[in-house]
Amino acid sequence: MEIRNSSTIVNLGEKTLLDEKITLGSNCKKITIGYGCFIGENVYIDVPELVIGDYTTIHKNTTIHGSEKCEIGHNCWIGQNTIIDSIGGMKIGNNVGIGTYSQLWSHMKFGDMLNGCRWNTKKKMVIEDDVWFVGHCIVSPVHAKKGSMAMLGSLVVKDMEENEIYAGSPAKNVKDKMGTQFSEIGIKEKKKIFKNYYKSFILENSIREADLEYEELDEVQIRVGNTRFNLEERSYWPTRSDYEYKFMKYILYDKAKFIPVVK
């Protein structure tokens, strides 16, 4: 990793993997990356402060730049060749997917203001939990609400409403045609699905049930080994055991995502 500012403070969580070809630019002052993350090759970071939660993946050739703080939550997946601009500020929630070749812009400027150019703005972009930009999306500094989704190639210029789907250029709400990203699943069905994940995990990894026990603690809580999960709140109490790490990696990113409970 190349660090161009000798005073940059870097805090890395355990089991976080960084490619050697990562650059921290001269504007970087503090970089905090959580537990179990992965940052791929040729990722360029140049923001004064970057905070990344646990189990977030940033693939190769991604650029994160700007003059304001950039926050990225837990369990996020950022595809290769993505641009994240934090000149106006950037806050990305938990469980957010940003597909390959997407661009998230928090500012717009180029034309001469002295010559009367009307387009010179910056605004903090807010992306709430479970938002999904499928890929090749270009996004202006909008507020993308929880569970909203933009289909492949969308040009997003307006705020996105909760659990609704957008498509096109400019992107329009297509909920009437495509429905929503998420549908309701009852707790009994969630428990059934989660137990199947557990069974598949121990089978594929040749783990005995006695070594990684499964127990239903109450209506919504499950224990896998020493780790307790709340299926209703999508939370868990980390133990940082090797089994927990392997299980979390197994269910990410398309099976289930859980947010750590901070004591």
Side-chain angles (χ1 to χ4, degrees):
M1 180 167 60
E2 178 186 356
I3 302 177
R4 296 180 178 175
N5 183 345
S6 60
S7 63
T8 299
I9 299 171
V10 179
N11 298 311
L12 298 180
E14 295 180 11
K15 293 189 181 296
T16 282
L17 302 176
L18 304 180
D19 191 272
E20 293 180 359
K21 297 179 181 178
I22 295 172
T23 301
L24 301 184
S26 58
N27 291 321
C28 292
K29 295 179 180 178
K30 185 176 182 180
I31 307 296
T32 303
I33 302 176
Y35 180 91
C37 295
F38 170 77
I39 313 293
E41 66 177 331
N42 295 324
V43 169
Y44 178 75
I45 298 169
D46 197 23
V47 287
E49 183 175 3
L50 174 65
V51 179
I52 299 175
D54 298 342
Y55 291 108
T56 282
T57 289
I58 301 176
H59 282 290
K60 65 180 182 180
N61 301 324
T62 289
T63 296
I64 302 173
H65 73 272
S67 51
E68 299 292 336
K69 181 179 181 180
C70 178
E71 300 175 73
I72 302 174
H74 303 292
N75 309 322
C76 294
W77 189 96
I78 299 171
Q80 66 189 50
N81 296 90
T82 291
I83 297 173
I84 297 176
D85 160 49
S86 194
I87 286 179
M90 180 70 62
K91 183 175 178 59
I92 298 173
N94 302 312
N95 312 326
V96 171
I98 302 172
T100 299
Y101 287 94
S102 292
Q103 301 177 23
L104 278 58
W105 294 99
S106 64
H107 87 288
M108 179 180 181
K109 62 179 180 179
F110 174 73
D112 293 11
M113 295 178 68
L114 181 62
N115 201 41
C117 180
R118 298 166 44 240
W119 304 96
N120 191 303
T121 61
K122 65 178 183 178
K123 178 184 175 182
K124 184 175 183 178
M125 184 182 296
V126 177
I127 302 170
E128 295 186 6
D129 295 352
D130 296 296
V131 171
W132 184 9
F133 299 111
V134 174
H136 289 259
C137 295
I138 299 178
V139 187
S140 60
V142 299
H143 184 168
K145 296 181 181 178
K146 183 178 180 180
S148 57
M149 179 179 181
M151 301 304 288
L152 187 70
S154 295
L155 173 60
V156 181
V157 296
K158 294 183 179 180
D159 291 350
M160 299 166 61
E161 297 303 317
E162 182 172 339
N163 199 27
E164 299 197 351
I165 297 179
Y166 297 78
S169 178
K172 296 181 179 180
N173 192 319
V174 292
K175 178 182 177 181
D176 291 343
K177 295 181 179 179
M178 304 188 71
T180 58
Q181 182 185 171
F182 295 98
S183 59
E184 291 290 334
I185 298 179
I187 190 62
K188 289 184 178 180
E189 183 65 17
K190 287 184 178 182
K191 289 164 75 172
K192 180 180 177 181
I193 294 170
F194 190 74
K195 189 168 187 178
N196 285 336
Y197 291 159
Y198 161 78
K199 289 181 177 179
S200 297
F201 171 73
I202 62 173
L203 180 64
E204 292 179 21
N205 290 275
S206 301
I207 300 171
R208 299 186 309 163
E209 288 192 32
D211 294 331
L212 190 66
E213 295 179 342
Y214 183 98
E215 180 185 5
E216 293 189 11
L217 300 176
D218 56 31
E219 185 66 22
V220 298
Q221 294 189 92
I222 305 293
R223 180 178 63 82
V224 176
N226 294 321
T227 305
R228 179 160 51 106
F229 295 87
N230 186 311
L231 303 189
E232 192 68 40
E233 297 180 356
R234 299 171 71 196
S235 61
Y236 77 109
W237 285 257
T239 63
R240 303 308 192 203
S241 69
D242 287 340
Y243 276 142
E244 177 187 278
Y245 173 77
K246 291 177 181 178
F247 183 66
M248 295 296 283
K249 285 291 189 179
Y250 176 76
I251 61 176
L252 289 169
Y253 287 92
D254 62 336
K255 294 181 179 68
K257 304 178 186 73
F258 293 89
I259 305 304
V261 175
V262 179
K263 297 181 180 180

